[in-house]
Amino acid sequence: KISNALLTYLENQGEDLSPILEVTSLPEEFLRDPSYWMQATEMESLLAHGLSLVQKDSNQNIIQKMGHSGPELRAWGVLDSVLRMMPRPHDILNQPERFLAYFVSPTPPTDHLRRGESSIEFDVAVSADQYPLVSCYLAAGLESLPLYAGQSAATCDWKGIHVNLSWQQEQKSLFGETETGRQISPDLIR
């Protein structure tokens, strides 16, 4: 999913993809397949090379922009559809291990989980120190989850293995209490 997001983002920025495709032995079809898995070290290397092609902003800013662009890029495959059907962004934000399972395999264990009214904290077995670009992208992806429901972005602080995710407003359902069985796309509502 991350490699597809990278290629889609660079393509939307008008960048030539041939240099990034030359640094990997994987065919473009695999890089664009949201169900294909890469080793974390390979993904980190691919992100680093992709960033070297873009000289407009700082590298971390580009990674954050990629992660925040998830709803527009639609590069996450079936996850995009699932997120659009969620009645409340709070439901997604309160289960970060489910989100991470779409990007990291096997699903990294989460520990020391603490949920608040507008935040969640946990430790995850993916270190921002070891994989700074991958964790920056995942943090930005977590921040973008409320955007799928037309709400403001969350804030994610990922240091080492500790992740603190918070959102500014109470996450309200798009449905009334009696209509929780229906699934409506935010695009349809707009």
Side-chain angles (χ1 to χ4, degrees), residues 22-189:
E22 291 172 4
V23 299
T24 180
S25 61
L26 297 171
E28 184 176 352
E29 306 85 64
F30 286 3
L31 295 173
R32 290 201 181 269
D33 183 353
S35 62
Y36 182 77
W37 294 96
M38 292 177 71
Q39 294 288 328
T41 52
E42 289 176 302
M43 188 71 254
E44 191 75 17
S45 176
L46 188 67
L47 283 171
H49 190 73
L51 292 176
S52 71
L53 299 176
V54 182
Q55 303 297 323
K56 298 171 185 130
D57 295 314
S58 73
N59 288 348
Q60 295 291 61
N61 198 13
I62 295 293
I63 295 291
Q64 288 173 331
K65 285 181 182 179
M66 274 177 40
H68 291 160
S69 299
E72 294 88 40
L73 291 179
R74 297 176 187 239
W76 293 348
V78 71
L79 180 58
D80 283 311
S81 300
V82 169
L83 293 172
R84 291 181 197 295
M85 293 188 304
M86 296 295 288
R88 298 182 328 149
H90 180 70
D91 297 336
I92 306 163
L93 297 172
N94 251 333
Q95 298 178 17
E97 63 280 354
R98 285 195 173 179
F99 175 78
L100 293 173
Y102 281 98
F103 294 92
V104 182
S105 179
T107 304
T110 55
D111 200 14
H112 303 109
L113 191 64
R114 289 177 297 282
R115 289 184 175 94
E117 287 295 315
S118 61
S119 67
I120 186 168
E121 288 184 61
F122 57 94
D123 293 337
V124 66
V126 176
S127 173
D129 300 328
Q130 188 174 7
Y131 303 108
L133 300 176
V134 170
S135 61
C136 181
Y137 179 82
L138 292 175
L142 284 165
E143 290 175 340
S144 77
L145 295 178
L147 300 176
Y148 280 90
Q151 297 186 11
S152 59
T155 303
C156 186
D157 183 31
W158 191 323
K159 290 186 179 156
I161 62 167
H162 186 75
V163 179
N164 184 349
L165 181 63
S166 60
W167 44 96
Q168 295 178 2
Q169 62 192 37
E170 181 181 334
Q171 303 287 318
K172 297 187 180 184
S173 174
L174 294 174
F175 315 109
E177 293 300 318
T178 59
E179 299 182 63
T180 56
R182 289 193 212 162
Q183 301 296 325
I184 300 173
S185 165
D187 292 341
L188 178 63
I189 292 172

